[in-house]
Every structure is written in C-alpha cells, then in structure tokens.
C-alpha cells in the first residue's frame, strides 16, 4: 500500500447505518485481519471527530470539550496507517456542506478516499426521520413534519426553513441525496463514489451488509458476529409522548437530554414497545411526494456517475397502494398514556440505580428509596387528555431529577462512559 486508504461511509441517516456500524464494531478483529481497520477504540471516537469537524452541538460545553481536536486526531490515525485500509462510518457526515468540504479535501489530501453513501426508499425514511428528530429534542407533530417534508420540493424550500419550518430543514438536511453526491463528488472521482441501496424487501437481514462489504471490497463472510445491539424504532404513541416531553424540557442541554431521554428512555424503555404500537403512517399526499423524491434521487445517482451496489428499483417511483390513504389519526390519549406508564416504570428504576451509583462512587451507605406516592394515572387504565397532561408534568419532574443525579454522578468519576443505565448486581 503506497499511500493511506480510507473508506468513508457518510450516511445517509435512517439507512441501516447503526446496523452496519455495530456489525463492524463487533467484528473489528476479523476485519483487521482482512486488512480493514475500524478507526478508533470505539465508534464514539468517530462521532466526536465529526462533531468537531462540523461544529455540531458546540453550544453544549460538555460535548464541545469532548470533541475538541478529535477530527485532527482521526485524520492523523488514518494518515499513519499504511498496512491496512481505514474504515470510518458516521452518518452526520452527510450534513457536510461546500464550505466544510473544503477543509475535508485539504485534510485528506494524499489519502486514497473511497466514499460510500447508503440510500433508502424515503417512504420508510420519512417516518423514521420524524422519530429521530423527536428523540433529538424537536417538537413538531407528525402532521407538521409531513407538511414540511412536502414543502421540501419547493424551489423556495430554504425560505421555509429560515422561517422555522423544521420539517423542511430536517428532510433536506438528512435525505437530500443529490446534494450529498454533489458535495462528496468534490472529494473523490465517480469510480470511488459508491451508492449502496437498502433492500426494499428485508427478507435476508444480512443483505445490506453483503452489499456494503462489496462496496468496500471485503469478503462479507469475514463478519461472523451479529450486531451486539440495535437501534429500535419507536411506535407512534411513544414518539408522541417524547414529543410532548420535549415541549416541557425546552432549554435542556444536549448532553443531559441524550443521556436520560434519548437513551435510555427512548432507546430502551419505549423501544421495547415497538411490537405493540402502530407506526406513524404517511398520508396520501406525502406518499405521492415520496415516490416523486425517489425518482429525483435515482436521476441524481445516475447523473453523478457513482458506482451502484444493489438496485435502483429499491427506490420505487410509484406509491404503494396501501400508502395512498387519507391522513391517519394519531394515537389517542389512552395510547400515549400507556406508553407513559412504561416510561414511568423504567425511569423510576433508573432513578434508584443512579442513586446507588452515587452512593458507591462517594463511598457512602446506599440511600433509601424515595418514599413518594405513585401518581394515580400510573395504576389506572385508559385515560383522558387531562390525565395525559398530568403524566407529562410528572414525567418531566422525574426526568429533570435524573439529569441532576447524572451530573452528580459524573462529578465523582472521570469516565465519560460511566453510567447507571444498565442493571447492576447491587
């Protein structure tokens, strides 16, 4: 190998990125033996590097401190490796604009870069992106988000975004494949720019990995261990509950929010409800928009000259019959309250774990459990809008307490990964 080689997986979001990243992490030793090194001691190193490069969440002092200098460190590691190819996978790279790409081109000069972009039918990514935006502190309703997505095709979409239409901004930022191809095409020639389509039919769970492995040039059979965790999607009711909490948690710093609301509340406690909840469904107008957007994406892929692994038919240009429905009603108060009860159960358990962790770190006797009455909505069934309003107030108070406890816990340890989110034996 005469010069460093980097395979850069840049997204897009909601295209199986978590699955691929987890698969590469758990099979990193086997990949290294095959000549592909997943950069950093853990995937968080790549996250910090991209946060540093793109200045993401820099208004949060904790994140700013952890990410400072991380991009330069990652580039130095890639440049110093000549015996194997480096692997980096971070979907936030799909947000990169022309100005920041100038830095990327400069920093990676002399490195043989191969860019991989995974692309998925937006009929699936639109509801998934709404859910992700909600677990990132957004407050737009599903109806508002769909309306914003439809405006994303307008010639003046940017004006809508400037006026605060977060649906437009989120969709264009995360699903504008044509822009991503133009941007990353500045770094690499078409023969080193590869689009991997996500199979529209997921009969074989390994098919996406097989396509991705083909794109980077590694034998798919090298990865024998399944991903250690998944990124579960939320049902409509659970997502609506988190959205309502976001309204009451305005002003919360991302570091606090991510470590209590995004995970574990959304990922673990509410993610476990996915099998019993309805997903958010596209209305007829958004389904037609999605088919038109897929058509434009296919045209952009062909025009870019990028290599394609998979099939462009994975981006259907006609809406499926079952998506051509009128606007579906969202979950009622009783359904959201049911999710709130699971949230209360999980968060109160986490509360005690964090209290015990603080006691151990501070070398103190274990505190007694909090002796507080359980709200009446927790033990009831069904519920009204008034009950749901009270549940959101109670959950907000509990979440703020958990955030405070975690800050106290982190003051007692220098390990940023130390947490009490998982069950312990104490």
């Amino acid at each position: 190998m005469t010069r460093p080689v980097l395979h850069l997986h840049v997204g897009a979001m909601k295209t199986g990125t978590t699955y691929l990243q987890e698969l590469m992490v758990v099979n990193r030793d086997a990949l290294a033996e095959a000549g592909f090194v997943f950069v950093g001691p853990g995937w968080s190193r790549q996250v910090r590097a991209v946060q540093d490069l793109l200045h993401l969440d820099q208004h949060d002092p904790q994140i700013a401190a952890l990410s400072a200098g991380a991009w330069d460190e990652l580039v130095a590691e890639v440049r110093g490796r000549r015996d194997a190819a480096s692997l980096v996978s971070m979907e936030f790279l799909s947000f990169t604009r022309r100005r920041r790409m100038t830095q990327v081109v400069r920093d990676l000069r002399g490195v043989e870069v191969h860019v991989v972009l995974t692309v998925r039918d937006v009929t699936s990514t639109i509801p998934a992106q709404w859910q992700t935006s909600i677990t990132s502190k957004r407050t737009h309703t599903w109806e508002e988000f769909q309306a914003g997505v439809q405006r994303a095709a307008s010639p003046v979409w940017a004006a809508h975004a400037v006026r605060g239409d977060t649906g437009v901004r989120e969709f264009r930022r995360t699903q504008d494949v044509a822009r991503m191809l133009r941007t990353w095409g500045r770094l690499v020639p078409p023969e080193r720019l590869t689009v991997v389509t996500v199979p529209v039919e997921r009969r074989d769970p390994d098919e996406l990995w097989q396509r991705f492995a083909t794109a980077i040039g590694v034998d798919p059979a090298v990865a024998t261990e399944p991903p250690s965790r998944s990124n579960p999607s939320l049902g409509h009711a659970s997502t609506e509950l988190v959205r309502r909490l976001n309204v009451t948690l305005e002003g919360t710093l991302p570091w606090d929010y991510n470590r209590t609301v995004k995970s574990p509340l959304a990922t673990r406690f509410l993610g476990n409800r996915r099998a019993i909840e309805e997903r958010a469904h596209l209305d007829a107008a958004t389904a037609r928009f999605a088919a038109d957007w897929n058509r434009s994406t296919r045209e952009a892929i062909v025009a870019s000259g990028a290599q394609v692994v998979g099939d462009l038919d994975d981006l259907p240009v006609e809406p499926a019959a079952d998506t051509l429905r009128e606007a579906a009603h969202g979950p009622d108060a009783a359904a959201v309250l049911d999710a709130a009860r699971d949230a209360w159960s999980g968060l109160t358990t986490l509360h005690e774990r964090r209290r015990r962790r603080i006691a151990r770190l501070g070398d103190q006797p274990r505190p007694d459990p909090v002796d507080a009455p359980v709200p009446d909505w927790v033990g009831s069934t069904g519920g009204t809008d008034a009950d749901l309003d009270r549940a959101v107030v109670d959950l907000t108070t509990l979440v703020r307490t958990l955030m405070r406890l975690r800050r106290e816990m982190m003051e007692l340890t220098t390990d940023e990964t130390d947490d009490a989110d998982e069950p312990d034996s104490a």
Side-chain angles (χ1 to χ4, degrees), residues 11-26:
M13 290 189 69
K14 315 316 299 180
T15 61
T17 53
T18 300
Y19 161 77
L20 293 171
Q21 289 150 1
E22 286 295 316
L23 194 71
M24 286 187 281
V25 168
V26 299

Side-chain angles (χ1 to χ4, degrees), residues 152-351:
S154 166
V156 293
W157 68 267
H160 290 290
V162 169
R163 289 197 293 266
D165 190 330
T166 51
V168 167
R169 181 177 183 273
E170 291 288 333
F171 184 81
R172 292 297 297 238
R173 188 189 196 200
T174 64
Q175 302 301 321
D176 190 349
V177 170
R179 171 187 57 78
M180 297 171 196
L181 290 168
R182 289 193 304 270
T183 301
W184 288 98
R186 295 184 60 205
L187 177 66
V188 298
E191 61 268 22
R192 287 196 265 122
L193 177 62
T194 303
V195 168
V196 174
T197 62
V198 177
V200 70
E201 297 288 345
R202 301 294 291 272
R203 296 188 182 94
D204 181 356
D206 295 328
E207 187 173 356
L208 177 58
W209 164 246
Q210 292 165 5
R211 293 182 180 186
F212 184 85
T214 298
I216 65 175
V218 68
D219 182 355
V222 165
T224 58
E225 295 295 324
S228 58
R229 67 181 180 91
S230 62
N231 186 19
S233 60
L234 298 183
H236 199 160
S238 289
T239 309
E240 174 61 16
L241 173 64
V242 176
R243 189 195 69 80
R244 290 173 182 247
L245 285 174
N246 290 348
V247 174
T248 66
L249 292 169
E250 185 177 1
T252 302
L253 289 174
W255 181 261
D256 287 332
Y257 182 91
N258 291 346
R259 295 306 180 109
T260 296
V261 179
K262 188 168 188 175
S263 176
L265 173 58
T267 301
R268 285 184 53 218
F269 305 146
L270 296 178
N272 290 335
R273 296 178 49 83
R274 180 63 183 89
I276 63 173
E277 289 186 348
E278 285 283 327
R279 66 187 289 270
H281 294 287
L282 302 185
D283 60 28
T286 310
R288 287 189 288 268
F289 165 88
D292 289 341
W293 190 269
N294 281 345
R295 182 181 292 106
S296 298
T297 297
R298 288 168 64 154
E299 292 170 354
I301 293 170
V302 172
S304 73
Q307 312 305 301
V308 177
V309 179
D311 194 331
L312 290 182
D313 285 342
D314 289 320
L315 310 176
V317 297
E318 295 293 338
D322 63 350
T323 63
L324 292 177
R325 68 185 81 193
E326 295 305 315
H329 293 293
D332 59 18
V336 182
L337 264 168
D338 196 41
R341 295 181 183 102
D342 280 352
W344 180 267
S345 175
L347 290 175
T348 52
T349 300
L350 178 61
H351 180 274

